[in-house]
Amino acid sequence: MKRYYGLAFILILLDQLTKWVVVQTMTIGQSIEVIPNLLYWTSYRNKGAAWGMLEGQMVFFFIITILVVAGLVYFLHKEVNGYQLLGYSVGLLLAGAIGNFIDRLFRGEVVDFVDTYPFGYNFPIFNVADMALTFGVILMVIGILFEEKLHKERGQS
């Protein structure tokens, strides 16, 4: 359990530190080229969810986040025992949910700054918490699909 909560804690700190640096050193809309035509740090604020959906629905986000975090903690303690991929996925999901929750609670908006253009596509600007959520979902799907089989195979060998 400690490693999953530790992962969440480290990622929440990284998320909040990077957002703090962006808020302290950049003006909204300012963009810094990191890798030409691919990666920029762009100071952006999002008052909604992914891609700005449900903008201004803070009470909704507070309630949903509290329920999701409670569900993830319950899942971690009741269902994850021995399933490492699922444990790490829950750690990532907790980090993402809590990281953006902190922004909404204290700033009234989420600080985004990772601005990418993969294959020329202008991908929506995101942050470390969003990356944690994305990788958490991917790991959870992999864990659900494959970890039970791997767990049984390890137990039989």
Side-chain angles (χ1 to χ4, degrees):
M1 275 320 132
K2 290 180 186 177
R3 73 180 89 165
Y4 309 133
Y5 285 118
L7 173 64
F9 180 75
I10 289 166
L11 288 173
I12 291 166
L13 287 178
L14 179 63
D15 176 64
Q16 291 301 303
L17 176 64
T18 55
K19 291 172 177 176
W20 181 82
V21 168
V22 167
V23 168
Q24 295 300 313
T25 63
M26 298 177 71
T27 59
I28 295 175
Q30 180 182 357
S31 189
I32 299 169
E33 184 178 71
V34 178
I35 301 173
N37 300 315
L38 179 63
L39 177 63
Y40 300 82
W41 283 171
T42 301
S43 181
Y44 180 77
R45 304 299 182 275
N46 184 352
K47 294 185 187 230
W51 294 280
M53 293 184 296
L54 301 171
E55 187 171 325
Q57 301 296 318
M58 286 300 153
V59 173
F60 172 76
F61 289 124
F62 291 148
I63 292 168
I64 292 299
T65 303
I66 290 167
L67 292 173
V68 166
V69 168
L72 288 169
V73 169
Y74 176 83
F75 183 75
L76 186 59
H77 287 271
K78 296 294 183 186
E79 304 294 331
V80 171
N81 192 20
Y83 297 94
Q84 288 188 12
L85 283 178
L86 289 176
Y88 286 116
S89 74
V90 171
L92 289 165
L93 293 169
L94 283 170
I98 294 169
N100 283 336
F101 181 79
I102 291 169
D103 276 20
R104 289 186 178 104
L105 185 62
F106 293 106
R107 291 189 177 99
E109 59 192 6
V110 175
V111 176
D112 290 327
F113 61 92
V114 181
D115 191 5
T116 60
Y117 294 82
F119 307 107
Y121 173 72
N122 184 7
F123 196 80
I125 302 172
F126 56 96
N127 59 45
V128 173
D130 297 333
M131 287 187 268
L133 286 166
T134 301
F135 287 116
V137 168
I138 292 167
L139 270 185
M140 184 161 282
V141 169
I142 292 169
I144 289 169
L145 293 175
F146 299 108
E147 196 155 43
E148 180 67 30
K149 181 181 176 187
L150 292 171
H151 193 70
K152 285 180 183 177
E153 287 174 0
R154 288 185 193 136
Q156 293 173 351
S157 42

